[in-house]
C-alpha cells in the first residue's frame, strides 16, 4: 500500500487549519503566556488539564514546562491533571473537577486541552475552577476567558492542533518568564 497520499493529506489538512487560525490564535496565546507566567512568578500553580485524546497534549505541556525545552533553566511548577486510564470521559472530567476543587487557589491558572470535551464537560470543569477562583485558558474549545477554538474542524484536527498549541504555549511561557533566548 502506498501511504504517501494518506500522509500528505493528513499534514496538509492540519497545516491548512493551523494557517487559517494564526490571526485568531496570536492574541489569545500571548495573553495565555502572560497570565501563566505571572501565576508562576506569583507562586501560584498551573494546572495542565486533558482527558481522553487530550491527555497527550496536557502531558507534553507539563513536561516541557517542568524540564524546559529551549534552554537550561529551573523547572516551572505545573500540576498535570490528565488521567490516562479512565473508564469514560465523564469519569475523567469528574476526577479533574475534584482535583481542581481540592488543589485550586485564587490566582492559579488551568490550561484545559478540550478538543474532545462536550459542552457539559467543559461547564463542569469551568464551574469547579470558578468555585476556587482559578482562571481557565481553553485550548481546542470555546470557554469563558481566554480560548482558542477550532470547533469547525474534525476532532482529529482539533487534537493535533492542541498538541502544537501545547508546545507553542510552553515556548511562549519560557520566553516571557526567563526572557528572550540568545542566538
Amino acid at each position: 500500500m502506498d501511504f504517501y497520499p494518506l500522509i500528505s493529506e493528513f499534514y496538509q489538512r492540519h497545516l491548512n487549519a493551523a494557517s487559517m487560525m494564526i490571526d485568531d490564535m496570536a492574541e489569545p496565546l500571548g495573553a495565555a503566556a502572560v497570565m501563566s507566567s505571572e501565576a508562576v512568578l506569583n507562586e501560584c500553580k498551573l494546572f495542565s488539564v486533558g482527558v481522553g485524546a487530550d491527555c497527550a497534549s496536557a502531558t507534553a505541556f507539563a513536561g516541557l514546562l517542568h524540564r524546559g525545552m529551549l534552554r537550561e533553566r529551573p523547572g516551572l511548577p505545573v500540576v498535570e491533571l490528565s488521567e490516562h486510564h479512565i473508564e469514560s470521559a465523564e469519569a475523567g472530567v469528574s476526577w479533574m473537577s475534584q482535583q481542581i476543587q481540592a488543589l485550586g487557589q485564587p490566582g492559579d491558572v488551568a490550561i484545559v486541552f478540550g478538543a474532545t470535551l462536550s459542552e457539559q464537560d467543559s461547564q463542569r470543569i469551568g464551574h469547579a475552577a470558578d468555585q476556587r477562583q482559578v482562571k481557565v485558558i481553553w485550548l481546542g474549545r470555546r470557554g469563558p476567558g481566554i480560548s482558542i477554538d477550532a470547533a469547525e474542524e474534525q476532532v482529529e484536527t482539533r487534537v493535533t492542533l492542541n498538541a502544537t498549541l501545547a508546545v507553542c504555549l510552553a515556548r511562549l511561557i519560557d520566553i516571557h518568564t526567563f526572557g528572550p533566548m540568545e542566538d
Side-chain angles (χ1 to χ4, degrees):
M1 176 175 202
D2 181 11
F3 287 105
Y4 184 88
L6 295 172
I7 295 166
S8 175
E9 184 274 331
F10 175 86
Y11 280 101
Q12 192 61 49
R13 182 168 22 107
H14 301 312
L15 290 171
N16 286 342
S19 177
M20 297 301 291
M21 292 179 61
I22 297 262
D23 290 340
D24 295 331
M25 288 190 297
E27 188 176 324
L29 269 175
V34 170
M35 181 187 294
S36 299
S37 179
E38 288 175 357
V40 168
L41 294 173
N42 290 323
E43 298 184 9
C44 295
K45 293 180 289 302
L46 292 180
F47 295 103
S48 184
V49 182
V51 66
D54 282 316
C55 283
S57 296
T59 300
F61 178 74
L64 291 167
L65 289 179
H66 282 299
R67 290 181 283 288
M69 67 179 201
L70 303 174
R71 57 183 150 193
E72 190 172 324
R73 61 151 175 81
L76 297 177
V78 181
V79 178
E80 181 187 335
L81 297 179
S82 60
E83 183 54 53
H84 299 275
H85 306 288
I86 57 170
E87 297 171 15
S88 67
E90 183 178 328
V93 168
S94 291
W95 177 79
M96 289 171 199
S97 297
Q98 291 169 354
Q99 294 300 304
I100 290 171
Q101 286 179 331
L103 302 171
Q105 298 175 355
D108 291 347
V109 175
I111 293 95
V112 178
F113 296 90
T116 60
L117 291 178
S118 70
E119 183 65 32
Q120 181 182 9
D121 291 339
S122 61
Q123 287 176 359
R124 289 176 60 200
I125 292 171
H127 179 71
D130 283 347
Q131 288 182 324
R132 300 299 292 178
Q133 298 176 353
V134 173
K135 299 173 194 153
V136 181
I137 298 166
W138 300 92
L139 301 178
R141 160 155 282 300
R142 176 121 351 252
I146 297 173
S147 61
I148 297 173
D149 182 21
E152 67 282 354
E153 299 295 336
Q154 298 173 11
V155 69
E156 180 182 71
T157 301
R158 292 193 314 264
V159 169
T160 302
L161 287 171
N162 269 1
T164 60
L165 287 169
V167 175
C168 184
L169 184 55
R171 182 177 192 272
L172 295 174
I173 292 168
D174 184 290
I175 292 168
H176 189 268
T177 305
F178 297 102
M181 295 170 291
E182 298 177 17
D183 292 331

